[in-house]
């Protein structure tokens, strides 16, 4: 076990806490949305901001987690950026009921829809669908961002998919509530009206397929927006909306009343007992994680600081040692944990196995453990710090492809909810085997120490440099040692930016970058959400021996 008085422990602690401080500073900037001036402008109109609306709506004494806070980060500099993708998404509680809230942020380009906005809304709907979780839309948007309409409008996973999901969710019996708290234009008008109930704020909310200017241009009719599609029109004449609210607070109070009267839901029946805090101090995680990903650490030291009472029942402890599997509880919930081991260990044959690499025996063990958790209806938690599968003649002759296929097969066919935490490396096929985004984790989060890529920055730079040098030499150019070093650094710097957890979070490859100390909360709320959706199948597929 690590000790607080160790010099290495203290060094690790300083570096990892600095990364969390950087995360918090970035989040503080994100929380300002489009900036203080636009927040003031929103207030001058008598409107709350998206985050203020969510804070007012959610129960104050209950936990909450934000999905996609870094969506769109540094993605559209030529268009002035799109903070949080122009929409705030939170899983929290309203009147004691767990739900998702999706709120357009009108301080970011008037809430206009960028490509990442559509992707984020689809992700929030996906979470709702997978977990049968009620969803509340707080609508305040100028519609599609026209300069990028070709990237948001026509494709399968674009804007229109949201309304298709509205219909599918309704058929599944998932509660959808909508509050029109600002503009709601064109195709976006369908989202609130395809919800179960819709309310609109008087004088600030409006909904129409075409605004007054377009109406004038299209059919020559002169009419103002309020008469065309304001609260009085839709509550008294068209019947499009169900409730007329005097201001934002009144509208949000109406949502609380509706949520307070929802019927109960059928549960999956995941096992939960009284929560216990870890006996070992979770703050010690900062000192255990090494300052360099080349250095080993024992993943069990991390696990024991995440699980209830620091109790972990390990499965096949002496076999397949580069992956650790076992049963535990997190915030009372029964879980199965699959975690990459970073220490160098000996195999059952006495061979040295390098940490963070998946070998045949560890893949075989993991596949069997995943099947066991499915059989017992136990949610799975994956702690990723993986460099990939072992390569070379010994591994190939030993059937690494066959054993890796077993693990991926079990992963793909698993029906219990899965939750992925990227602690360190998430490289290559190891990302897939350890439940990367492509394998449908209910939630996937990264610690500030995470890296996602096909391979490490240094390895990728060496590979790409070899290709670049060969190409230049083929053209007859001579490459000096200095030029080669310059090319290597240029390639590595670009690649290092792409493997950053912020790069991944911006593109919603992960749902969030989190403080390691919040890991228990994310997993607990995720399992509670998953408990809304009964498991219909228990078949994990046949895995050949």
């Amino acid at each position: 076990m690590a000790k607080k008085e160790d010099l290495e422990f203290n060094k690790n602690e300083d570096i990892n806490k600095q990364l969390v401080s950087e995360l918090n500073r970035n989040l503080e900037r994100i929380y300002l949305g489009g900036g203080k001036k636009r927040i003031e402008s929103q207030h001058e109109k008598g409107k709350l901001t998206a985050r203020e609306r969510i804070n007012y709506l959610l129960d104050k004494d209950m936990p909450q987690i934000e999905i996609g806070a870094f969506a769109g980060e540094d993605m559209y500099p030529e268009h002035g950026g799109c903070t949080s993708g122009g929409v705030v998404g939170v899983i929290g509680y309203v009147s004691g009921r767990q739900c998702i809230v999706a709120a357009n942020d009108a301080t970011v380009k008037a809430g206009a829809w960028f490509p990442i906005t559509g992707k984020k809304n689809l992700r929030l709907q996906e979470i709702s669908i997978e977990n049968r979780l009620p969803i509340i839309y707080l609508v305040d948007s100028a519609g599609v961002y026209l300069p990028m309409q070709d990237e948001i409008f026509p494709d399968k996973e674009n804007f229109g998919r949201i309304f298709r999901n509205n219909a599918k969710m309704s058929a599944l019996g998932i509660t959808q509530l909508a509050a029109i708290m600002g503009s709601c234009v064109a195709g976006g008008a369908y989202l609130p009206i395809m919800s179960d109930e819709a309310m609109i704020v008087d004088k600030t909310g409006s909904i129409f397929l075409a605004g007054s200017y377009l109406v004038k241009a299209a059919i020559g009719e002169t009419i103002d927006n309020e008469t065309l599609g304001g609260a009085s029109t839709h509550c008294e004449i068209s019947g499009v909306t169900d409730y007329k609210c005097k201001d934002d607070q009144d509208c949000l109070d109406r949502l609380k009343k509706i949520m307070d009267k929802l019927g109960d839901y059928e549960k999956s029946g995941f096992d939960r007992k009284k929560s216990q805090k870890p006996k070992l101090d979770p703050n010690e995680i900062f000192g255990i994680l090494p300052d360099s990903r080349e250095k080993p650490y024992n993943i069990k030291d991390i696990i024991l600081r995440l699980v209830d009472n620091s109790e972990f029942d390990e499965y096949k402890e002496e076999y397949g040692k580069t992956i650790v599997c076992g049963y535990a509880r997190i915030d009372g919930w029964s879980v199965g944990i699959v975690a990459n081991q970073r220490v160098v260990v000996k195999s059952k044959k006495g061979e040295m196995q390098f940490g963070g690499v998946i070998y045949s025996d560890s893949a075989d063990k993991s596949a069997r453990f995943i099947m066991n958790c499915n059989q017992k209806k136990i949610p799975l938690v994956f702690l990723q710090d993986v460099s990939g599968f072992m390569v070379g003649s010994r591994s190939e002759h030993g059937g690494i492809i066959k054993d890796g296929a077993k693990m991926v097969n079990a992963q793909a066919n698993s029906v219990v909810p899965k939750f992925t935490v990227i602690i360190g490396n998430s490289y290559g096929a190891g990302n897939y085997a350890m439940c990367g985004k492509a394998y449908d984790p209910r939630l996937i989060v990264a610690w500030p120490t995470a890296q996602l890529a096909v391979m490490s920055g240094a390895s990728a730079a060496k590979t790409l440099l070899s290709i670049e040098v060969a190409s230049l030499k083929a053209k007859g150019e001579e490459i000096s040692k200095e030029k080669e070093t310059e090319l290597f650094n240029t390639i590595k710097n670009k690649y290092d930016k792409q493997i950053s957890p912020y790069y991944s979070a911006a593109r919603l490859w992960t749902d969030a970058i989190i403080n390691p100390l919040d890991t228990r909360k994310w997993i607990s709320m995720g399992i509670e959400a998953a408990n809304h959706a009964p498991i219909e199948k228990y078949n994990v597929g046949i895995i050949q021996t």
Side-chain angles (χ1 to χ4, degrees):
M1 293 291 180
K3 296 180 180 179
K4 289 185 178 180
E5 59 269 21
D6 289 348
L7 181 62
E8 192 71 19
F9 183 99
N10 292 332
K11 182 182 176 183
N12 293 341
E13 185 177 45
D14 288 344
I15 289 173
N16 287 313
K17 285 189 174 180
Q18 285 174 19
L19 290 175
V20 171
S21 295
E22 180 187 4
L23 169 63
N24 291 334
R25 287 193 300 272
N26 285 327
L27 286 172
E28 287 175 8
R29 172 178 51 80
I30 291 291
Y31 294 158
L32 291 175
K36 292 181 179 179
K37 286 186 178 180
R38 288 177 180 159
I39 290 174
E40 290 170 3
S41 175
Q42 190 89 336
H43 291 163
E44 287 168 4
K45 297 174 185 175
K47 299 164 67 175
L48 300 174
T49 66
R51 292 186 181 278
E52 288 169 344
R53 288 166 177 165
I54 290 174
N55 288 338
Y56 184 90
L57 179 64
L58 293 181
D59 297 346
K60 300 298 181 290
D61 57 345
M62 298 291 282
Q64 58 180 266
I65 53 178
E66 182 171 352
I67 305 296
F70 288 103
E73 183 81 348
D74 293 330
M75 285 182 65
Y76 309 106
E78 69 277 20
H79 297 281
C82 185
T83 305
S84 273
V87 62
V88 182
V90 174
I91 301 177
Y93 301 81
V94 176
S95 300
R97 302 298 299 268
Q98 192 182 42
C99 62
I100 300 172
V101 183
N104 297 115
D105 189 346
T107 71
V108 179
K109 288 288 192 294
W113 288 65
F114 282 65
I116 195 66
T117 315
K119 186 174 183 179
K120 184 170 177 178
N121 274 270
L122 289 171
R123 173 59 180 149
L124 294 171
Q125 287 185 323
E126 180 183 39
I127 294 171
S128 174
I129 292 168
E130 285 181 329
N131 300 290
R132 303 297 192 268
L133 207 57
I135 187 167
I136 298 172
Y137 308 102
L138 306 182
V139 185
D140 191 348
S141 171
V144 167
Y145 183 63
L146 291 178
M148 301 187 75
Q149 63 84 26
D150 60 323
E151 297 181 46
I152 180 64
F153 169 65
D155 211 344
K156 180 179 179 180
E157 298 300 330
N158 285 174
F159 197 48
R161 188 77 172 184
I162 293 167
F163 316 132
R164 174 264 191 194
N165 284 353
N166 286 141
K168 291 287 187 180
M169 293 161 75
S170 180
L172 289 169
I174 299 170
T175 297
Q176 300 178 83
L177 305 175
I180 302 158
M181 310 183 80
S183 296
C184 190
V185 186
Y190 287 106
L191 183 145
I193 307 312
M194 292 184 74
S195 299
D196 301 315
E197 294 184 82
M199 51 225 68
I200 185 169
V201 179
D202 194 21
K203 300 299 185 289
T204 56
S206 59
I207 179 169
F208 32 64
L209 294 181
S212 56
Y213 292 116
L214 186 54
V215 168
K216 176 69 174 176
I219 64 173
E221 181 183 3
T222 301
I223 189 171
D224 63 89
N225 282 339
E226 183 63 26
T227 305
L228 180 67
S232 295
T233 295
H234 286 309
C235 288
E236 300 170 21
I237 299 173
S238 72
V240 166
T241 51
D242 305 306
Y243 306 97
K244 181 179 178 180
C245 307
K246 64 180 181 180
D247 55 27
D248 280 12
Q249 288 90 342
D250 184 40
C251 185
L252 297 168
D253 286 338
R254 172 67 64 178
L255 288 168
K256 292 180 183 182
K257 291 176 182 177
I258 294 173
M259 289 293 291
D260 182 56
K261 296 173 179 64
L262 291 185
D264 202 0
Y265 56 91
E266 186 181 356
K267 298 175 179 64
S268 282
F270 301 124
D271 185 62
R272 191 180 197 185
K273 293 186 176 178
K274 184 179 179 181
S275 176
Q276 298 183 63
K277 293 181 180 180
K279 276 187 177 179
L280 298 176
D281 186 2
N283 284 285
E284 292 177 352
I285 288 172
F286 296 115
I288 294 167
L289 277 177
D291 62 339
S292 168
R293 54 196 65 243
E294 279 73 43
K295 295 179 181 178
Y297 66 94
N298 193 334
I299 191 62
K300 296 177 192 178
D301 290 340
I302 301 290
I303 293 172
L304 293 177
R305 287 161 176 81
L306 292 176
V307 300
D308 287 16
N309 208 34
S310 297
E311 293 179 354
F312 180 63
D313 302 321
E314 191 168 353
Y315 172 79
K316 289 184 180 286
E317 182 176 0
E318 298 302 321
Y319 179 74
K321 293 183 178 181
T322 63
I323 289 184
V324 171
C325 300
Y327 303 101
R329 290 188 182 273
I330 292 179
D331 196 25
W333 294 103
S334 171
V335 297
I337 295 174
V338 181
N340 301 112
Q341 178 60 284
R342 291 294 300 183
V343 297
V344 178
V345 297
K346 284 186 177 182
S347 73
K348 60 184 181 294
K349 297 178 182 178
E351 301 161 345
M352 298 306 294
Q353 294 188 340
F354 298 99
V357 179
I358 302 175
Y359 288 77
S360 287
D361 52 0
S362 50
D364 175 70
K365 177 174 79 171
S366 302
R368 295 176 184 277
F369 182 73
I370 290 168
M371 287 192 295
N372 286 348
C373 287
N374 274 263
Q375 185 71 24
K376 298 173 183 176
K377 203 159 70 169
I378 298 174
L380 284 157
V381 175
F382 294 85
L383 303 179
Q384 282 196 14
D385 193 349
V386 58
S387 301
F389 284 88
M390 191 59 191
V391 296
S393 60
R394 186 187 298 271
S395 292
E396 297 294 355
H397 296 170
I400 185 66
I401 295 176
K402 172 174 63 93
D403 291 317
K406 291 180 189 177
M407 185 175 179
V408 173
N409 189 352
Q411 182 70 267
N413 286 292
S414 176
V415 294
V416 295
K418 300 177 289 186
F419 304 89
T420 301
V421 182
I422 305 173
I423 291 175
N425 299 336
S426 182
Y427 294 158
N431 169 279
Y432 303 155
M434 289 294 293
C435 197
K437 187 68 181 285
Y439 288 80
D440 300 318
R442 297 294 176 94
L443 294 171
I444 177 170
V445 297
W447 288 1
T449 46
Q451 290 187 353
L452 271 78
V454 173
M455 61 184 75
S456 71
S459 297
K462 289 175 184 176
T463 303
L464 294 170
L465 177 65
S466 298
I467 296 170
E468 181 70 14
V469 168
S471 176
L472 292 171
K473 285 182 177 179
K475 296 176 183 177
E477 297 184 31
E478 289 297 324
I479 307 298
S480 65
K481 191 65 178 176
E482 292 75 17
K483 179 65 174 175
E484 193 170 314
T485 301
E486 181 184 340
L487 277 171
F488 176 83
N489 290 334
T490 300
I491 295 169
K492 186 176 183 300
N493 289 339
K494 180 181 178 181
Y495 201 87
D496 282 345
K497 182 179 179 181
Q498 293 179 352
I499 66 178
S500 158
Y502 292 96
Y503 191 91
S504 302
R507 288 151 183 79
L508 291 172
W509 301 343
T510 60
D511 292 316
I513 306 170
I514 67 169
N515 184 330
L517 300 182
D518 289 332
T519 303
R520 282 170 55 85
K521 178 175 74 171
W522 273 80
I523 294 171
S524 176
M525 288 189 68
I527 298 176
E528 182 180 349
N531 207 32
H532 286 73
I535 296 174
E536 297 175 359
K537 297 188 300 181
Y538 295 92
N539 175 32
V540 198
I542 299 171
I543 295 183
Q544 297 176 353
T545 58

